[in-house]
């Protein structure tokens, strides 16, 4: 799919990554135009973007566009456009990267004091904002409140990375995501918009339920491994395929997706963030850190319920005195149940249960109640033709509000779409009656 991509570049050291993003987008066959703020010109010159995109770069609303609002590959109109906003009007997606604290603040109050902010105000396409700045500026309450405002208005705000920042010697949160991740977010948002427009003509129901634009989705996938010694472990057969399919589908619907992957060998889709873990305890710690910043949890990982007590640090031998005849086990934490007890109003939690044989639906329903979930997806692992190691799955979605939805045998990526159709419409616990909320998950002091 060819996208007309408008890139807005703010002043910041990370502006060089916008250059690389533009290059990747052009290489992927997209048509790219660039708007720069005055300050960004101090970091990367127009000539670099112009050379990469093959199109003139604009930095002022009072400057005539030599390409008259056209994108590379499109016909240049015979007459200059009346409006300096032609570029954004023709765009399929508008990526603002790096988005500085100053520009984010302007966007939050609706200022239109330069071409970049004017274009944002006039945009009808998805707007993807990729903040990049010093950690203290990013974490400042003013910036955080501005980002919440942007998300509430439907802009897609990407989570910045953590680690070494572009400024020499600086470390922390505030790093611009890598160019490939920026491009993936743009393609996902533009794709979701097109799918929505196309399905709107076919089915209004899908349009109502389909989008996850601007929502933050946390997906766990794979299976945990609990060490017995330095080379052996107790694991399970989960490949992570279903979780990855859910992550890809959520991204394509415009969500900002974080994946926590337990021993997944398959290549993850390009999402905002990927964290890798091995044990149930590591998965629990990663989920605890990530969960508060997300709106929807899709807990597809197969988590060990028990782990060996005191794993040996070396490799056990079969003849040695320490050769185990029995492995003593201790219970792990139920991660999903723990997260459920921490949930804030508005957060939606979905569990996944692999059940063996008859009575599976009843057992899953009991888990939904015990873990205080909004929904649980249950499949029958007794069947050979679906589930573990298979490209296919068949399941039933049970919601807290009542009602079982049978999901037919489908490729896992198609099943993921059906699951998201349903869960994207689930009322969060906060919207249900107060007495159905889990203990400790009230709406907080003062309502
Ligand atoms: N789960 C979890 N932490 C655990 C075990 C399970 O978060 N220690 C989550 C799984 O990720 C899944 C849901 O709980 O989303 C249901 O998992 P399942 O293994 O079916 O449930 P259990 O509570 O472990 O019940 P049992 O193994 O007895 O069937």
């Amino acid at each position: 799919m060819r996208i007309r991509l408008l890139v807005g570049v703010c002043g910041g050291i990370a502006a060089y990554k916008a250059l690389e993003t533009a290059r990747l987008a052009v290489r992927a066959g997209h048509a790219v135009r660039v708007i720069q703020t005055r300050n960004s010109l101090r970091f990367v010159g127009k000539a670099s973007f112009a050379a990469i995109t093959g199109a003139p770069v604009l930095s002022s609303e009072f400057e005539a566009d030599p390409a008259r609002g056209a994108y590379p590959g499109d016909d240049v109109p015979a007459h200059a456009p009346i409006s300096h906003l032609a570029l954004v009007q023709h765009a399929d997606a508008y990526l603002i990267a790096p988005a500085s604290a100053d520009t984010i603040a302007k966007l939050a109050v609706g200022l239109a004091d330069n071409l970049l902010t004017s274009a944002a105000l006039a945009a009808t396409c998805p707007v993807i904002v990729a903040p990049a700045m010093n950690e203290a500026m990013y974490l400042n309450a003013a910036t955080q409140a501005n980002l919440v405002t942007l998300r509430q208005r439907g802009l897609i705000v990407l989570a910045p990375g953590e680690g070494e920042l572009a400024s020499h010697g600086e470390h922390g949160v505030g790093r611009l995501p890598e160019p490939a991740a920026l491009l993936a977010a743009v393609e996902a948002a533009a794709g979701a918009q097109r799918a929505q427009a196309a399905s709107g003509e076919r089915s209004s129901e899908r349009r109502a339920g389909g989008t996850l634009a601007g929502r933050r989705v946390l997906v766990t996938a794979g299976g945990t491994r609990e060490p017995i010694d330095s080379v052996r472990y107790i694991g399970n057969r989960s490949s992570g395929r279903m979780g990855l399919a859910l992550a890809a589908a959520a991204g394509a619907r415009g969500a900002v997706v974080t994946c926590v992957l337990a021993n997944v060998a398959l290549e993850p889709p390009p999402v905002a963030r990927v964290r890798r873990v091995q044990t149930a305890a590591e998965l629990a710690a990663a989920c605890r850190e990530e969960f508060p910043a997300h709106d929807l949890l899709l807990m597809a990982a197969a988590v060990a319920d028990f782990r060996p007590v005191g794993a040996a640090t070396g490799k056990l031998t079969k003849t040695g005195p320490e050769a185990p005849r029995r492995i003593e086990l201790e219970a792990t934490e139920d991660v999903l149940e723990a997260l459920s007890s921490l949930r804030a109003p508005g957060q939606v939690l979905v569990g996944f249960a692999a059940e063996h044989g008859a009575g599976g639906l009843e057992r899953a329903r009991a888990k939904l109640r015990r873990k205080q979930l909004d929904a649980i997806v249950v499949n029958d692992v007794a069947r050979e033709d679906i589930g573990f190691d298979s490209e296919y799955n068949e399941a039933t979605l049970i919601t807290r509000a009542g009602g079982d939805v049978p999901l037919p045998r489908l490729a896992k990526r198609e099943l993921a779409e059906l699951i998201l159709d349903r869960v994207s419409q689930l009322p969060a616990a906060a919207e249900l009656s107060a007495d159905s909320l889990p203990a400790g998950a009230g709406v907080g002091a003062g309502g």
Side-chain angles (χ1 to χ4, degrees), residues 150-172:
L150 298 188
R151 282 197 174 106
Q152 283 169 347
R153 293 199 191 125
L155 279 75
I156 298 167
V157 178
L158 301 183
E162 194 173 346
E164 202 181 324
L165 301 182
S167 293
H168 182 70
E170 282 197 28
H171 233 79

Short mmCIF file of all heavy atoms in Angstrom, two decimals, residues 150-172:
data_model
loop_
_atom_site.label_atom_id
_atom_site.label_comp_id
_atom_site.label_asym_id
_atom_site.label_seq_id
_atom_site.Cartn_x
_atom_site.Cartn_y
_atom_site.Cartn_z
N LEU A 150 -3.69 15.00 23.88
CA LEU A 150 -3.56 14.59 22.47
C LEU A 150 -4.18 13.22 22.26
O LEU A 150 -4.89 13.00 21.27
CB LEU A 150 -2.09 14.60 22.04
CG LEU A 150 -1.36 15.94 22.08
CD1 LEU A 150 0.02 15.81 21.45
CD2 LEU A 150 -2.16 17.02 21.37
N ARG A 151 -3.91 12.29 23.18
CA ARG A 151 -4.47 10.94 23.03
C ARG A 151 -5.99 10.99 23.08
O ARG A 151 -6.67 10.33 22.30
CB ARG A 151 -3.97 10.03 24.16
CG ARG A 151 -2.56 9.54 23.94
CD ARG A 151 -2.26 8.35 24.83
NE ARG A 151 -0.95 7.80 24.51
CZ ARG A 151 0.14 7.97 25.28
NH1 ARG A 151 0.06 8.63 26.41
NH2 ARG A 151 1.29 7.46 24.91
N GLN A 152 -6.51 11.79 24.01
CA GLN A 152 -7.98 11.86 24.13
C GLN A 152 -8.60 12.40 22.86
O GLN A 152 -9.73 12.09 22.53
CB GLN A 152 -8.36 12.75 25.32
CG GLN A 152 -8.18 12.03 26.64
CD GLN A 152 -8.29 12.97 27.83
OE1 GLN A 152 -8.26 14.19 27.68
NE2 GLN A 152 -8.40 12.39 29.02
N ARG A 153 -7.84 13.23 22.14
CA ARG A 153 -8.39 13.79 20.89
C ARG A 153 -8.18 12.85 19.71
O ARG A 153 -8.46 13.21 18.58
CB ARG A 153 -7.72 15.13 20.59
CG ARG A 153 -8.10 16.16 21.61
CD ARG A 153 -7.82 17.55 21.07
NE ARG A 153 -7.96 18.49 22.14
CZ ARG A 153 -7.03 19.35 22.51
NH1 ARG A 153 -5.90 19.41 21.85
NH2 ARG A 153 -7.24 20.17 23.51
N GLY A 154 -7.60 11.68 19.97
CA GLY A 154 -7.49 10.69 18.90
C GLY A 154 -6.16 10.71 18.18
O GLY A 154 -5.97 9.97 17.21
N LEU A 155 -5.21 11.57 18.60
CA LEU A 155 -3.88 11.49 17.99
C LEU A 155 -3.19 10.24 18.52
O LEU A 155 -3.46 9.80 19.64
CB LEU A 155 -3.05 12.73 18.34
CG LEU A 155 -3.33 13.98 17.48
CD1 LEU A 155 -4.65 14.63 17.86
CD2 LEU A 155 -2.21 15.00 17.63
N ILE A 156 -2.32 9.67 17.72
CA ILE A 156 -1.59 8.49 18.16
C ILE A 156 -0.26 8.96 18.75
O ILE A 156 0.56 9.55 18.04
CB ILE A 156 -1.35 7.53 16.98
CG1 ILE A 156 -2.71 7.08 16.44
CG2 ILE A 156 -0.49 6.34 17.38
CD1 ILE A 156 -2.65 6.40 15.10
N VAL A 157 -0.09 8.75 20.04
CA VAL A 157 1.15 9.18 20.69
C VAL A 157 2.01 7.95 20.93
O VAL A 157 1.60 7.04 21.65
CB VAL A 157 0.84 9.91 22.01
CG1 VAL A 157 2.15 10.31 22.70
CG2 VAL A 157 -0.03 11.14 21.77
N LEU A 158 3.17 7.91 20.34
CA LEU A 158 4.05 6.75 20.51
C LEU A 158 4.83 6.90 21.82
O LEU A 158 5.23 8.01 22.18
CB LEU A 158 5.02 6.64 19.35
CG LEU A 158 4.39 6.49 17.96
CD1 LEU A 158 5.47 6.31 16.91
CD2 LEU A 158 3.43 5.31 17.93
N ALA A 159 5.03 5.77 22.48
CA ALA A 159 5.81 5.81 23.72
C ALA A 159 7.28 5.95 23.36
O ALA A 159 7.78 5.22 22.52
CB ALA A 159 5.59 4.52 24.50
N PRO A 160 7.97 6.90 23.97
CA PRO A 160 9.41 7.00 23.68
C PRO A 160 10.14 5.85 24.31
O PRO A 160 9.66 5.23 25.25
CB PRO A 160 9.81 8.33 24.33
CG PRO A 160 8.80 8.59 25.38
CD PRO A 160 7.53 7.88 24.98
N GLY A 161 11.30 5.55 23.78
CA GLY A 161 12.11 4.47 24.33
C GLY A 161 12.90 4.94 25.54
O GLY A 161 12.91 6.13 25.88
N GLU A 162 13.56 3.98 26.17
CA GLU A 162 14.35 4.27 27.35
C GLU A 162 15.79 3.87 27.05
O GLU A 162 16.02 2.88 26.36
CB GLU A 162 13.81 3.43 28.51
CG GLU A 162 14.31 3.86 29.84
CD GLU A 162 13.61 3.11 30.96
OE1 GLU A 162 12.58 2.48 30.71
OE2 GLU A 162 14.13 3.17 32.08
N GLY A 163 16.74 4.61 27.57
CA GLY A 163 18.14 4.25 27.35
C GLY A 163 18.95 5.48 27.03
O GLY A 163 18.64 6.58 27.49
N GLU A 164 19.96 5.28 26.20
CA GLU A 164 20.83 6.40 25.84
C GLU A 164 20.05 7.38 24.96
O GLU A 164 19.44 6.97 23.96
CB GLU A 164 22.01 5.83 25.04
CG GLU A 164 23.21 6.72 25.05
CD GLU A 164 24.33 6.10 24.23
OE1 GLU A 164 24.46 4.88 24.26
OE2 GLU A 164 25.02 6.86 23.55
N LEU A 165 20.05 8.66 25.34
CA LEU A 165 19.34 9.65 24.54
C LEU A 165 20.29 10.22 23.49
O LEU A 165 21.50 10.06 23.58
CB LEU A 165 18.79 10.77 25.44
CG LEU A 165 17.83 10.29 26.55
CD1 LEU A 165 17.31 11.47 27.35
CD2 LEU A 165 16.66 9.51 25.96
N ALA A 166 19.69 10.91 22.50
CA ALA A 166 20.53 11.41 21.41
C ALA A 166 21.54 12.45 21.91
O ALA A 166 22.65 12.55 21.39
CB ALA A 166 19.65 12.01 20.31
N SER A 167 21.17 13.22 22.95
CA SER A 167 22.10 14.21 23.50
C SER A 167 23.25 13.50 24.18
O SER A 167 23.02 12.60 24.99
CB SER A 167 21.43 15.10 24.53
OG SER A 167 20.47 15.88 23.93
N HIS A 168 24.45 13.93 23.92
CA HIS A 168 25.65 13.26 24.43
C HIS A 168 25.60 13.09 25.94
O HIS A 168 25.35 14.04 26.68
CB HIS A 168 26.88 14.09 24.03
CG HIS A 168 28.15 13.45 24.48
ND1 HIS A 168 28.64 12.29 23.91
CD2 HIS A 168 29.03 13.77 25.46
CE1 HIS A 168 29.75 11.95 24.51
NE2 HIS A 168 30.00 12.83 25.46
N GLY A 169 25.78 11.87 26.42
CA GLY A 169 25.88 11.61 27.86
C GLY A 169 24.55 11.52 28.57
O GLY A 169 24.50 11.25 29.77
N GLU A 170 23.42 11.76 27.88
CA GLU A 170 22.13 11.71 28.58
C GLU A 170 21.50 10.34 28.46
O GLU A 170 21.61 9.67 27.43
CB GLU A 170 21.18 12.76 28.01
CG GLU A 170 21.48 14.14 28.54
CD GLU A 170 20.32 15.09 28.33
OE1 GLU A 170 19.17 14.65 28.28
OE2 GLU A 170 20.60 16.29 28.20
N HIS A 171 20.78 9.97 29.52
CA HIS A 171 20.19 8.65 29.63
C HIS A 171 18.77 8.79 30.14
O HIS A 171 18.47 9.74 30.83
CB HIS A 171 21.00 7.86 30.68
CG HIS A 171 21.45 6.56 30.16
ND1 HIS A 171 22.54 6.45 29.34
CD2 HIS A 171 20.94 5.31 30.30
CE1 HIS A 171 22.70 5.17 29.01
NE2 HIS A 171 21.73 4.46 29.59
N GLY A 172 17.90 7.86 29.88
CA GLY A 172 16.58 7.87 30.50
C GLY A 172 15.47 7.64 29.50
O GLY A 172 15.69 7.11 28.41
#
